[in-house]
């Protein structure tokens, strides 16, 4: 439905640290975690709640409880750093890992793993991938979830390229996309400029 690029000062500050070439892997991972928490705060702002009564030590209180269940679909391997943070916020969420890599010659997505057995168990699935570059992996991930029967899907990433957000919106106009920033363009190798390099390599020191 919409592209949401965060305007939160903490997101901007932490993204600036994440981009630096001299940010070591341990700090890179910590920043991915913190940025994911902040972006998920925004991406879950429209989750419905239902009224509920609980007993405090003193009396009965009217509270709100989430009335939808959430699942996460991290795209391997760069999405792994985001799913740990996501599970801190929603520890009962189910996690559906999706193995999709980008063929370096064609830049096209290749699906090699999916944990989509049975029927969807969550009401809404959040696809997690830090980099929305060509958008092909994200499109493939949303396609896989929809073919499986997921009724609502959102995309949460850190940096997008205009090419990627366009491809994802063209393929899935109904999708909400949450990002920390939209950068200038892709280079010929499919990397986002100015970007941050390879998000998987920088997390896992490869
Ligand atoms: N994947 C990355 O890790 N970085 C990019 O810039 C593009 C795709």
């Amino acid at each position: 439905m919409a592209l949401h690029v965060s305007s939160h000062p903490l997101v901007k500050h932490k993204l600036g640290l994440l981009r630096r070439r001299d940010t070591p892997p341990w700090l890179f991972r910590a920043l991915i975690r913190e940025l994911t928490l902040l972006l998920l705060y925004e991406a879950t702002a429209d989750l419905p709640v239902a009224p509920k009564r609980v007993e405090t030590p003193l009396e009965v209180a009217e509270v709100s409880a989430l009335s939808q269940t959430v699942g996460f679909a991290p795209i391997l391997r760069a999405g792994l750093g985001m799913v740990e943070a996501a599970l801190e916020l929603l520890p009962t969420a189910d996690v559906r890992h999706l193995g999709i890599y980008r063929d370096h010659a064609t830049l096209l997505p290749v699906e090699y793993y999916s944990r989509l057995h049975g029927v969807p168990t969550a009401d809404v699935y959040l696809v997690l991938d830090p980099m929305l570059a060509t958008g092909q992996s994200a499109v493939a991930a949303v396609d896989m979830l929809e073919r499986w029967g997921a009724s609502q899907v959102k995309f949460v990433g850190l940096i997008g390229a205009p090419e990627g957000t366009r491809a994802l919106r063209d393929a899935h106009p109904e999708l909400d996309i949450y990002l920390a920033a939209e950068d200038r363009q892709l280079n010929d190798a499919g990397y986002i400029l100015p970007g941050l390099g390879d998000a998987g390599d920088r997390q896992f020191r490869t």
Side-chain angles (χ1 to χ4, degrees), residues 188-204:
D188 291 342
Y191 281 89
I192 299 176
L193 299 175
L196 48 70
D198 189 300
D201 286 349
R202 294 200 60 189
Q203 284 179 81
F204 303 118

Side-chain angles (χ1 to χ4, degrees), residues 65-175:
L66 287 177
S67 57
Q68 274 193 344
T69 52
V70 178
F72 297 115
I75 301 183
L76 300 174
R77 110 195 115 114
L80 284 177
M82 296 180 75
V83 77
E84 286 170 27
L87 284 172
E88 283 179 43
L89 272 187
L90 289 162
T92 58
D94 57 323
V95 179
R96 307 290 176 164
H97 295 93
L98 301 178
I100 304 168
Y101 73 86
R102 203 164 50 142
D103 184 284
H104 280 297
T106 63
L107 299 186
L108 291 174
V110 181
E111 298 173 18
Y112 66 93
Y113 180 80
S114 119
R115 201 72 189 125
L116 304 180
H117 53 280
V119 291
T121 40
D123 297 311
V124 52
Y125 280 92
L126 307 189
V127 175
L128 306 175
D129 191 2
M131 308 302 276
L132 181 57
T134 63
Q136 299 304 318
S137 300
V139 169
V142 179
D143 285 345
M144 288 162 81
L145 288 164
E146 288 192 350
R147 275 201 308 272
W148 180 49
S151 49
Q152 199 193 345
V153 182
K154 298 181 181 191
F155 179 90
V156 183
L158 298 184
I159 302 180
E163 295 89 333
T165 51
R166 201 176 311 119
L168 190 50
R169 294 173 86 177
D170 285 351
H172 294 285
E174 77 292 353
L175 192 84

